[in-house]
């Protein structure tokens, strides 16, 4: 084979035997070539000695005492045979000729490893040229014609004496080249059909070379054979050294199989070579094979017979199937992939956990392609399926099966990412009330796979793939969340996407939380009505707050404190707010303004309950605040009520607060968002490697901070902290303790009270199950995507207006020219809140309605229903003037 031919066909280069590589190596010296050829020949001879000892030559009249066919070699283990083969090679002992009618001697518990053979006429009856370790009873040595005949037959089940077809990279490349040469692909099609339709075949395919006695023997064979040490032979024979306690029993087939890992690089190279061919050559055969494989796999999973198929075998089969590059396109996507996903529905939690670990390990580089394929499948089924009141997306078995296997991928993504220490879990640190904790545990279902893996989404500081890549928007758009919520609260056997929240967008999950809150409100109203009827009481079905604008904090917090002390369950009722002296009826708009006014006052520096961080523009608990714990509890109640009543707040907490609310303590990495300057300083300290760190940084374990009056306070992170200098040995401990002090210990009292109030409202809510910390921030603060083009496209019109009406076109022209501050004022004026809902302004259904002909009246709004009443002004200038006055000078309800 010429070098030019090798360059043109890389598969041939991969398949060259060692002797060909040596002969074609232009830069190797003639002496090196000669030595390597000698080693290759020696390796071949040692291999023949080994087969002679273990299988025999096939001649029943053989007189060679070193041949198994003579009957004089009994009960020899592979270890002993390997050592004996080297010894016979060194003595140039008798080597039998292969007998054409030989019958292989089998040993149930022995395992052999075959290396690729060079072109050798004596190996006419040798076994397949693979590097796969297989039981000897499945490697009966037959003639080439017999092997070909077996390979061409369709195998659906195998006995102990039958050969199971399997593939290796080398074997597949040989078949591809042979087919390309003759332009006849029937052999490739038959091979793919046989291997990919059978579990046993796939579990033996694309394996790494195991660490067996033969491997050790062949490693020795590549060295100086004449200097073979006695210890090497003893090691191969399985003898223990005096200081060894034990050794692995290499005669156990299952023991070796467990060490035979899937060869990911080889598998991927093989697929790349295969799919370099036109897909129409083999696609149909491979699709049909995978459909058959899925059927056998489903049957195996339902019957669960470990003797015929182990959990590891099932995991490997799924890995090899999901690695197929074309799984997300063509007939694979429409036929084979759905069948495979349906089969995975029967995976046990143990198998799912093993699959998650496998994908998080060597398979993590393929996570994105797996996820994209699953999204392709789900989206395709969503688009093609005709859903109706008797057939919801939750009833589409391919979608639900793909979602279930995506959960395994989701946890693999977490395992493959950056995980935090379990020490940061603050369940034991946060003193919740017993009632809150019991309710919380009762409501949240246990994710069995997460429990099996011992992880939580909060443990992941940075996933391998962004969590947002798991969202499927087409699915989220068609999910009927009322139906899904009913499945979630009802029969556990009915599928609910709320149990798989990673696939839903935050906007869709918000609907699930909304239904949960509304049903609880309705339940409280019903209970109040029954009490009034049966007991003659006068219990209000709502949580009513009557406040004065000038004293909104005093009125609101006093009223909420009374409710929290006397009857905390009333906090679960629907909030109704009334401003004294105003006509507004609270259908949602009054509550929005109430929360905005309360938040503005709470974070007022005059109260000194929170501090403002200039670097990050965020607020944090004031560790030296003079306010009582009950005040912070009420702030937590307000935050919980906002979520419970579906109101967005204008707050700027750092992400660490939401992580703490979900159950994680703050750590050094959280300082990056809260205090970037301090974070960078500490990072420089950690990265400094010189020995003069004490002189450069001059830092001890005593830290300083200021109270509300600017007085400098000191805190020792450890005993005698002012006398302990930070050095190379303790700098990491210093950073850990400093971050813990700033984010946890210094504000422990304030946060405990805040968390207690928050849990008074949301303790029974599926909030923690549905949302991650960054999604909770979206839920509370709204989206940062301030796009008025989206709002224009989503706005509806009433009273004779359309999107082409002149006044409407003038309106949007004026609004798009507004500054960001003016646009926020317009939102506040129209909806009662200047915050953008989750999903952006496209989720805000605003209505512009005609409010009479041209006049001097200002525009008005029904904030409860997001309706803007706009007179039909004659000119654009007049419209702009009236609109600016309305949004700048209106305040209160019933005033315009």
């Amino acid at each position: 084979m010429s070098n030019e031919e090798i360059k043109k066909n890389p598969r041939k280069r991969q398949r060259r035997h060692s002797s060909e590589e040596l002969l074609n190596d232009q830069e190797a010296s003639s002496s090196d070539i000669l030595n390597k050829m000698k080693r290759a020949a020696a390796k071949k001879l040692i291999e023949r000695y080994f087969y002679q000892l273990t299988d025999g030559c096939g001649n029943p009249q053989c007189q060679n005492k070193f041949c198994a066919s003579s009957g004089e070699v009994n009960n020899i283990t592979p270890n002993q045979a390997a050592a004996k083969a080297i010894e016979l090679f060194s003595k140039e002992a008798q080597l039998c000729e292969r007998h054409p009618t030989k019958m292989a001697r089998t040993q149930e518990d022995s395992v052999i490893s075959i290396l690729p053979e060079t072109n050798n006429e004596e190996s006419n009856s040798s076994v397949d040229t693979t590097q796969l370790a297989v039981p000897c009873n499945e490697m009966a040595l037959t003639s080439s014609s017999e092997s070909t005949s077996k390979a061409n037959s369709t195998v659906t089940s195998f006995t102990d004496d039958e050969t199971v077809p399997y593939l290796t990279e080398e074997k597949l490349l040989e078949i591809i080249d042979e087919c390309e040469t003759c332009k006849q692909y029937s052999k490739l099609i038959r091979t793919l059909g046989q291997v990919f339709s059978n579990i046993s075949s796939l579990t033996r395919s694309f394996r790494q070379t195991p660490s067996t006695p033969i491997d050790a023997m062949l490693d020795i064979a590549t060295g100086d054979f004449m200097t073979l040490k006695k210890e090497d032979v003893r090691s191969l024979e399985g003898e223990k050294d005096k200081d060894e306690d034990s050794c692995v029993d290499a005669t156990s087939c299952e023991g070796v199989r467990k060490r035979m890992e899937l060869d990911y690089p080889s598998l991927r190279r093989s697929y790349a070579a295969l799919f370099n061919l036109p897909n129409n050559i083999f696609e149909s055969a491979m699709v049909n094979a995978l459909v058959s494989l899925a059927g056998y796999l489903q049957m195996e999973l339902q019957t669960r017979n470990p003797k015929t198929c182990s959990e590891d075998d099932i995991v490997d089969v799924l890995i090899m199937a999901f690695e197929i590059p074309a799984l997300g396109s063509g007939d694979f996507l429409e036929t084979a992939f759905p069948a495979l996903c349906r089969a995975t529905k029967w995976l046990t939690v143990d198998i799912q956990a093993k699959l998650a670990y496998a994908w998080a390990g060597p398979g993590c580089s393929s996570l994105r392609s797996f996820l994209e394929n699953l999204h392709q499948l789900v989206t395709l089924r969503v688009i093609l399926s005709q859903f109706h009141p008797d057939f919801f997306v939750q009833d589409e078995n391919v979608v639900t099966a793909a979602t279930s296997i995506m959960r395994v991928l989701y946890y693999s993504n977490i395992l493959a990412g950056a995980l935090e220490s379990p020490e940061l879990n603050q369940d034991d640190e946060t003193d919740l009330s017993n009632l809150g904790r019991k309710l919380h545990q009762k409501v949240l279902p246990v994710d069995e796979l997460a429990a099996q893996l011992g992880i939580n989404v909060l443990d992941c500081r940075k996933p391998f793939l962004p969590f947002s890549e798991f969202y499927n928007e087409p699915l989220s758009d068609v999910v009927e969340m009322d139906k899904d919520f009913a499945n979630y609260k009802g029969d556990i056997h009915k599928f609910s996407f709320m149990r798989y929240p990673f696939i839903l967008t935050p906007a869709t999950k918000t609907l699930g939380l909304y239904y949960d809150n509304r049903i609880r409100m309705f339940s409280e109203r019903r209970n109040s009505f029954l009490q009034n009827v049966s007991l003659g009481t006068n219990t209000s079905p709502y949580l009513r707050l009557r406040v004065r604008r000038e004293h909104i904090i005093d009125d609101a917090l006093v009223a909420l404190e009374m409710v929290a002390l006397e009857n905390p369950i009333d906090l679960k009722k629907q909030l109704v707010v009334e401003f004294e002296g105003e006509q507004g009826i609270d259908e949602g708009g009054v509550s929005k303004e109430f929360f905005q006014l309360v938040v503005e006052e709470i974070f007022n520096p005059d109260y000194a309950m929170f501090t403002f961080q200039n670097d990050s523009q965020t607020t944090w608990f004031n560790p030296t605040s003079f306010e009582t714990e009950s005040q912070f509890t009420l702030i937590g109640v307000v935050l919980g009520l906002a979520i419970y009543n579906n109101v967005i707040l204008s707050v700027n907490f750092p992400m660490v607060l939401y992580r703490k609310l979900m159950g994680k303590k703050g750590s050094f990495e959280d300082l990056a968002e809260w205090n970037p300057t301090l974070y960078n300083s500490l990072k420089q300290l950690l990265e400094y490697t010189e020995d003069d760190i004490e002189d450069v940084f001059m830092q001890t374990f005593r830290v300083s901070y200021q109270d509300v009056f600017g007085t400098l306070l000191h805190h020792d992170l450890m005993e005698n902290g002012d006398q302990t200098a930070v050095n190379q040995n303790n700098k990491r401990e210093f950073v850990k303790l400093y971050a813990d002090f700033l984010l946890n210990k210094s504000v422990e009292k304030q946060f405990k009270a805040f968390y207690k109030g928050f849990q008074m409202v949301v303790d029974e809510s599926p909030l923690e199950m549905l949302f991650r910390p960054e999604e909770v921030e979206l839920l509370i603060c709204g989206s940062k995507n301030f796009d008025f083009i989206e709002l224009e496209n989503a706005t509806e019109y009433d009273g004779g207006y359309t999107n082409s009406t002149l006044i409407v076109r003038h309106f949007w022209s004026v609004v798009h020219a507004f500054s960001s501050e003016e646009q926020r004022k317009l939102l506040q004026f129209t909806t009662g809140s200047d915050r953008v809902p989750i999903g952006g302004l496209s989720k805000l259904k605003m209505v512009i309605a005609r409010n009479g002909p041209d006049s001097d009246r200002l525009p008005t709004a029904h904030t409860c229903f997001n309706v803007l009443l706009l007179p039909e002004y004659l000119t654009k200038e007049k419209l702009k003037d009236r609109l600016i006055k309305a949004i700048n000078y209106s305040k209160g309800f019933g005033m315009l």
Side-chain angles (χ1 to χ4, degrees):
M1 183 187 302
S2 68
N3 287 336
E4 292 299 324
E5 290 175 329
I6 293 173
K7 291 179 180 178
K8 290 179 180 179
N9 195 337
R11 290 191 293 271
K12 293 182 179 179
R13 182 173 65 250
Q14 295 174 6
R15 213 174 57 252
R16 288 186 306 172
H17 298 303
S18 59
S19 61
E20 291 175 329
E21 294 173 343
L22 296 173
L23 291 173
N24 287 294
D25 190 351
Q26 299 295 329
E27 298 186 11
S29 65
S30 58
S31 60
D32 288 340
I33 293 176
L34 183 60
N35 289 334
K36 291 180 180 179
M37 290 180 66
K38 288 180 179 180
R39 287 196 293 270
K43 183 185 293 186
K44 173 59 64 180
L45 289 174
I46 294 174
E47 187 180 23
R48 288 188 59 193
Y49 278 117
F50 177 82
Y51 295 146
Q52 178 175 290
L53 288 166
T54 57
D55 295 335
C57 66
N59 184 2
Q61 282 79 40
C62 180
Q63 300 298 318
N64 187 353
K65 65 178 182 179
F66 300 119
C67 179
S69 296
S70 68
E72 297 187 29
V73 181
N74 295 316
N75 300 323
I76 187 170
T77 67
N79 288 21
Q80 296 167 341
K84 191 66 176 177
I86 297 175
E87 179 185 346
L88 294 177
F89 167 78
S90 63
K91 294 180 179 179
E92 298 183 0
Q94 179 183 353
L95 190 62
C96 297
E97 294 295 329
R98 301 293 179 108
H99 199 275
T101 59
K102 95 177 192 69
M103 296 296 294
R105 173 182 166 213
T106 62
Q107 291 182 359
E108 286 294 326
D109 297 329
S110 62
V111 176
I112 62 176
S113 176
I114 312 300
L115 286 180
E117 298 201 27
T118 58
N119 295 331
N120 191 334
E121 294 179 359
E122 293 181 348
S123 63
N124 190 39
S125 61
S126 63
V127 296
D128 239 330
T129 57
T130 70
Q131 295 184 9
L132 178 66
V134 296
C136 291
N137 60 356
E138 294 179 356
M139 288 299 297
L141 304 180
T142 62
S143 65
S144 298
S145 60
E146 290 174 316
S147 299
T148 303
S149 175
K150 285 190 177 183
N152 291 339
S153 62
T154 301
V155 183
T156 57
S157 62
F158 306 95
T159 64
D160 290 341
D161 295 327
E162 291 177 317
T163 301
V164 178
Y166 57 89
L167 277 175
T168 63
E169 179 184 8
E170 183 179 57
K171 187 173 181 180
L172 179 61
L173 294 178
E174 286 180 352
I175 294 174
I176 292 175
D177 278 342
E178 179 182 337
C179 293
E180 284 189 308
T181 301
C182 63
K183 301 301 180 183
Q184 175 57 255
Y185 295 92
S186 58
K187 183 176 181 180
L188 174 64
I189 293 172
R190 286 195 299 270
T191 303
L192 293 176
Q194 292 165 14
V195 173
F196 282 89
S197 64
N198 188 271
I199 297 176
S200 299
S201 296
L202 275 181
T203 55
R204 287 162 170 79
S205 298
F206 305 108
R207 318 302 300 190
Q208 293 179 1
T209 303
S211 178
T212 65
I214 298 303
D215 298 317
M217 174 197 72
L218 294 176
D219 288 339
I220 294 173
T222 61
D224 188 351
F225 307 105
M226 308 319 300
T227 60
L228 182 64
K229 297 180 180 180
K230 182 179 180 181
E231 289 78 6
D232 295 329
V233 177
R234 289 178 57 201
S235 176
L236 286 172
E237 289 176 339
E239 296 182 13
K240 298 179 185 178
D241 292 334
K242 293 182 179 180
D243 58 344
E244 290 180 332
D245 296 325
S246 63
C247 65
V248 178
D249 181 10
T251 63
S252 170
C253 176
E254 185 62 23
V256 175
R257 281 292 305 278
K258 288 181 180 179
R259 295 196 299 273
M260 291 170 55
E261 300 294 336
L262 183 64
D263 193 339
Y264 281 87
S266 176
L267 174 66
R268 290 164 182 166
R269 289 193 302 267
S270 300
Y271 280 152
L274 178 62
F275 283 88
N276 194 37
L277 298 173
N279 283 11
N280 58 358
I281 293 176
F282 60 86
E283 183 179 51
S284 178
M286 199 165 181
V287 166
N288 291 335
L290 289 173
V291 172
S292 298
L293 176 71
Y296 290 129
L297 189 62
Q298 180 172 332
M299 182 172 59
E300 190 67 44
L301 289 169
Q302 288 176 303
T303 57
R304 289 303 299 124
N305 185 357
K307 294 183 179 179
T308 60
C309 186
S310 69
E311 291 183 349
D312 292 336
D313 289 340
I314 294 173
V315 169
D316 287 344
V317 167
L318 289 174
I319 290 173
M320 284 185 274
F322 272 75
E323 285 281 352
I324 295 174
L327 205 57
S329 61
D331 288 343
F332 288 96
L333 179 63
E334 295 180 9
T335 307
F337 201 15
L340 287 171
C341 288
R342 281 192 291 263
T344 61
K345 175 184 176 181
W346 301 94
L347 292 176
T348 64
V349 176
D350 290 338
I351 297 178
Q352 291 180 46
K354 290 184 177 182
L355 186 59
Y357 280 124
W359 279 340
C364 68
S365 60
S366 298
L367 284 180
R368 178 169 271 110
S369 64
F370 294 166
L371 181 59
E372 290 174 352
N373 290 341
L374 286 168
H375 276 314
Q376 288 274 15
L377 179 60
V378 170
T379 302
L380 178 67
R381 303 297 289 205
V382 165
I383 294 174
L384 296 182
S385 300
Q386 298 294 326
F387 301 114
H388 50 78
D390 294 325
F391 181 68
F392 294 91
V393 67
Q394 292 89 345
D395 302 319
E396 218 290 338
N397 57 8
V398 174
V399 172
T400 57
T403 302
S404 298
I405 196 66
M406 197 183 293
R407 180 180 65 167
V408 179
L409 207 65
Y410 180 74
Y411 286 117
S412 296
N413 185 53
I414 293 175
L415 291 170
L419 297 178
E420 289 188 322
S421 170
E423 296 177 358
L424 294 176
N425 294 332
Q426 65 176 7
D427 291 342
D428 296 333
E429 299 293 332
T430 304
D431 184 22
L432 298 177
S433 64
N434 292 332
L435 175 62
R437 181 168 295 181
K438 288 179 181 179
L439 288 173
H440 202 58
Q441 292 177 348
K442 185 188 300 183
V443 172
L444 293 182
V446 177
D447 189 327
E448 294 182 352
L449 179 56
Q452 180 77 6
L453 295 171
I455 60 172
N456 186 286
V457 65
L458 295 175
D459 297 334
C460 187
R461 170 65 66 174
K462 183 179 180 181
F464 185 78
L465 301 176
F467 285 128
S468 58
E469 292 192 16
F470 284 82
Y471 298 149
N472 190 291
E473 293 190 6
L475 172 66
S476 299
D477 291 340
V478 302
V479 171
E480 298 287 346
M481 287 307 295
D482 53 347
K483 171 68 175 178
D484 197 76
F485 179 78
N487 289 352
Y488 166 72
K489 298 295 287 187
D491 189 351
I492 192 173
H493 298 292
K494 291 184 177 180
F495 189 90
S496 171
F497 288 102
M498 288 183 65
R499 300 190 185 102
Y500 303 84
F502 55 83
I503 198 172
L504 300 177
T505 61
T508 303
K509 288 188 283 190
T510 301
L511 289 176
L513 185 65
Y514 172 81
Y515 284 118
D516 183 82
N517 294 337
R518 287 295 167 179
I519 289 175
R520 190 165 287 111
M521 292 177 185
F522 176 79
S523 176
E524 291 300 325
R525 285 204 299 269
R526 182 184 60 184
N527 292 339
S528 298
F529 174 77
L530 292 177
Q531 289 180 8
N532 293 340
V533 172
S534 60
L535 301 178
T537 60
N538 189 23
T539 304
S540 174
Y542 300 100
L543 174 62
R544 292 188 177 275
L545 295 181
R546 184 179 177 86
V547 296
R548 297 165 294 175
R549 283 186 179 273
E550 296 78 12
H551 305 88
I552 189 169
I553 292 294
D554 294 338
D555 293 349
L557 296 188
V558 167
L560 290 175
E561 185 175 17
M562 294 295 295
V563 173
L565 291 174
E566 295 178 358
N567 195 11
I569 198 67
D570 283 353
L571 294 173
K572 305 294 178 64
K573 296 178 179 179
Q574 182 178 349
L575 177 65
V576 175
V577 178
E578 180 182 348
F579 286 101
E580 279 194 8
E582 299 183 17
Q583 303 174 12
I585 298 176
D586 192 2
E587 293 289 344
V590 180
S591 295
K592 291 178 185 178
E593 185 175 9
F594 163 77
F595 279 111
Q596 181 177 0
L597 295 175
V598 168
V599 167
E600 288 177 357
E601 291 294 324
I602 286 174
F603 294 106
N604 190 320
D606 294 341
Y607 283 92
M609 297 181 68
F610 296 90
T611 61
F612 185 75
Q613 190 64 241
N614 290 320
D615 287 353
S616 59
Q617 298 292 300
T618 57
T619 54
W620 188 242
F621 299 98
N622 184 358
T624 61
S625 174
F626 294 111
E627 300 295 335
T628 62
E629 291 184 28
S630 61
Q631 295 293 91
F632 285 97
T633 300
L634 295 175
I635 303 304
V637 170
V638 169
L639 192 68
L641 285 174
I643 294 177
Y644 192 63
N645 290 271
N646 200 31
V647 176
I648 300 173
L649 299 180
S650 178
V651 296
N652 293 297
F653 288 118
M655 183 59 64
V656 61
L657 174 75
Y658 304 105
R659 289 177 57 82
K660 288 171 71 69
L661 285 176
M662 302 293 278
K664 277 287 183 179
K665 292 192 289 187
S667 64
F668 168 64
E669 294 298 331
D670 292 307
L671 293 175
E673 183 186 3
W674 176 59
N675 193 333
T677 302
L678 177 61
Y679 173 81
N680 291 328
S681 299
L682 294 176
K683 191 174 182 180
Q684 289 179 359
L685 174 67
L686 292 176
E687 294 173 350
Y688 193 80
T689 57
E690 302 298 328
D691 294 333
D692 60 348
I693 185 173
E694 296 184 32
D695 297 330
V696 173
F697 288 90
M698 300 176 61
Q699 178 65 53
T700 66
F701 275 74
R702 169 173 286 184
V703 294
S704 303
Y705 60 101
Q706 292 182 339
D707 63 9
V708 293
F709 301 108
T711 305
L712 194 64
L713 305 176
H714 302 285
H715 175 77
D716 287 350
L717 299 176
M718 61 167 53
E719 189 175 354
N720 299 322
D722 60 327
Q723 302 175 14
T724 306
V726 175
N727 54 42
Q728 291 291 357
N729 295 326
N730 61 22
K731 64 181 182 180
R732 295 190 179 278
E733 182 183 7
F734 168 76
V735 170
K736 177 182 177 182
L737 292 175
Y738 194 12
D740 183 52
F741 169 72
L742 291 174
L743 300 176
N744 302 311
K745 291 185 177 179
S746 67
V747 296
E748 182 177 8
K749 178 181 70 174
Q750 293 85 345
F751 178 75
K752 273 187 177 180
F754 178 85
Y755 186 73
K756 179 181 178 182
F758 182 75
Q759 285 294 320
M760 283 183 179
V761 184
V762 303
D763 56 356
E764 297 179 274
S765 169
L767 178 71
E768 291 185 23
M769 184 196 73
L770 291 176
F771 297 92
R772 298 187 303 274
E774 63 271 20
E775 293 174 328
V776 174
E777 182 186 28
L778 277 177
L779 184 67
I780 294 175
C781 304
S783 173
K784 297 178 181 180
N785 184 19
F786 206 72
D787 188 352
F788 263 68
I789 299 294
E790 290 185 357
L791 179 61
E792 180 181 358
N793 294 333
T795 297
E796 299 176 356
Y797 303 94
D798 195 12
Y801 283 164
T802 67
N803 60 355
S804 60
T805 304
L806 181 62
I807 183 65
V808 171
R809 295 204 310 265
H810 286 166
F811 172 82
W812 288 115
S813 177
V814 169
V815 168
H816 290 315
F818 275 173
S819 64
S820 297
E821 182 63 27
E822 289 174 323
Q823 288 178 341
R824 288 192 177 277
K825 288 182 178 180
L826 175 62
L827 278 183
Q828 173 69 40
F829 175 78
T830 307
T831 68
S833 172
D834 65 348
R835 312 301 289 182
V836 179
I838 295 180
L841 288 174
S842 62
K843 303 297 182 181
L844 183 63
K845 301 303 181 183
M846 190 173 80
V847 177
I848 298 178
R850 187 175 185 271
N851 192 24
D854 179 41
S855 68
D856 292 333
R857 297 179 58 191
L858 296 177
T860 56
H862 296 309
T863 56
C864 299
F865 308 104
N866 301 336
V867 176
L868 175 64
L869 300 175
L870 188 67
E872 193 170 2
Y873 301 113
L874 293 179
T875 65
K876 180 178 179 180
E877 290 73 19
K878 187 174 183 179
L879 166 67
K880 181 178 179 180
D881 176 73
R882 295 296 187 270
L883 189 60
I884 289 177
K885 287 181 178 178
I887 64 177
N888 283 323
Y889 300 111
S890 64
K891 190 174 183 180
F893 293 84
M895 305 300 293
L896 293 176

